[in-house]
Amino acid sequence: MLTGILTTLALAPVVMTVRQVVQTQSDYNDISALRRAMNFIERDLQSAMRLAPNVITITDHESMGGLDDDTLMIMSSSPTVQNMPAGTLVYKIIEGGILHGNVIQGLYRWVLPGKTPGNVDVEALEPKDAQLVLPDVKIFGVEIPNGSHEDNRQKEYSGKLPDGIYIKIGRGNNDNDKNEDRRNKIESFIVFP
């Protein structure tokens, strides 16, 4: 019995270390996945059609719990990489569940060749026609800066390519745990030259 107690005491730090390593790997994978999704969106934004009169459309929306659930539409040359005419790319969160045909919740991307953002009915877009960019996304916020403060950002926008754009992607919720916030959400400011 004494040997069992000593073995348990000796193995307890090992078990805790293994748990911490697994948690660290999970956190790294979450941040890495969020960064890859942000890079994907940034590439699409960098290929925006700069001379078009209506390049970007942002629709502000909040889902239950006050989470950002915006829609981003970009008139882009990205479809030409797939031998399609330039068109609109749409980024939007689809909530999973029975109401959406058992679709996985996450951030989705639609490629609509030959369409301008003004000709896209976002509500009519089907998840089956989209590409899942990142599963389990619950926060997708897009804003155009008007000044130096967060309060001066436009949440709704339609028009030419702005000087820059703020994008926030997250898998968590809007709780006050700063460590949880860092692991599950990233923000980026993309500047257009």
Side-chain angles (χ1 to χ4, degrees):
M1 190 166 102
L2 185 59
T3 304
I5 292 172
L6 290 174
T7 304
T8 302
L9 290 175
L11 289 177
V14 172
V15 170
M16 289 299 291
T17 301
V18 168
R19 283 185 185 159
Q20 288 176 339
V21 166
V22 168
Q23 182 62 43
T24 301
Q25 285 176 335
S26 174
D27 293 347
Y28 175 77
N29 289 339
D30 282 348
I31 290 296
S32 181
L34 289 168
R35 284 193 181 127
R36 280 192 309 275
M38 188 69 77
N39 289 338
F40 196 70
I41 295 168
E42 186 172 348
R43 277 194 311 267
D44 280 345
L45 283 165
Q46 294 297 342
S47 71
M49 311 277 294
R50 297 179 191 283
L51 300 177
N54 187 6
V55 178
I56 291 182
T57 300
I58 299 168
T59 307
D60 182 44
H61 184 260
E62 286 186 359
S63 59
M64 291 179 73
L67 300 177
D68 287 317
D69 184 12
D70 297 345
T71 302
L72 171 64
M73 290 188 279
I74 313 157
M75 184 67 185
S76 174
S77 62
S78 284
T80 59
V81 174
Q82 301 168 345
N83 292 324
M84 294 186 272
T88 296
L89 306 175
V90 179
Y91 284 92
K92 180 173 175 38
I93 291 176
I94 296 291
E95 295 179 18
I98 298 169
L99 294 175
H100 293 93
N102 290 327
V103 173
I104 298 170
Q105 174 164 339
L107 181 63
Y108 283 79
R109 174 186 184 251
W110 286 262
V111 178
L112 307 168
K115 289 194 172 190
T116 62
N119 295 333
V120 176
D121 180 7
V122 175
E123 301 304 320
L125 295 174
E126 291 290 331
K128 64 180 175 59
D129 300 330
Q131 170 190 9
L132 178 62
V133 175
L134 187 63
D136 299 324
V137 171
K138 296 178 183 170
I139 301 168
F140 181 59
V142 186
E143 299 172 335
I144 303 296
N146 277 346
S148 60
H149 299 291
E150 190 171 330
D151 295 340
N152 293 334
R153 297 181 189 170
Q154 280 183 272
K155 295 181 178 281
E156 297 260 344
Y157 180 83
S158 187
K160 291 188 177 276
L161 196 65
D163 293 333
I165 187 169
Y166 287 97
I167 298 181
K168 175 175 44 176
I169 303 174
R171 287 181 155 166
N173 50 29
N174 282 346
D175 58 17
N176 293 326
D177 183 355
K178 294 295 180 194
N179 290 329
E180 189 71 22
D181 195 42
R182 256 181 287 156
R183 288 192 303 257
N184 293 324
K185 182 173 65 172
I186 63 169
E187 293 185 40
S188 182
F189 179 62
I190 301 165
V191 179
F192 303 108

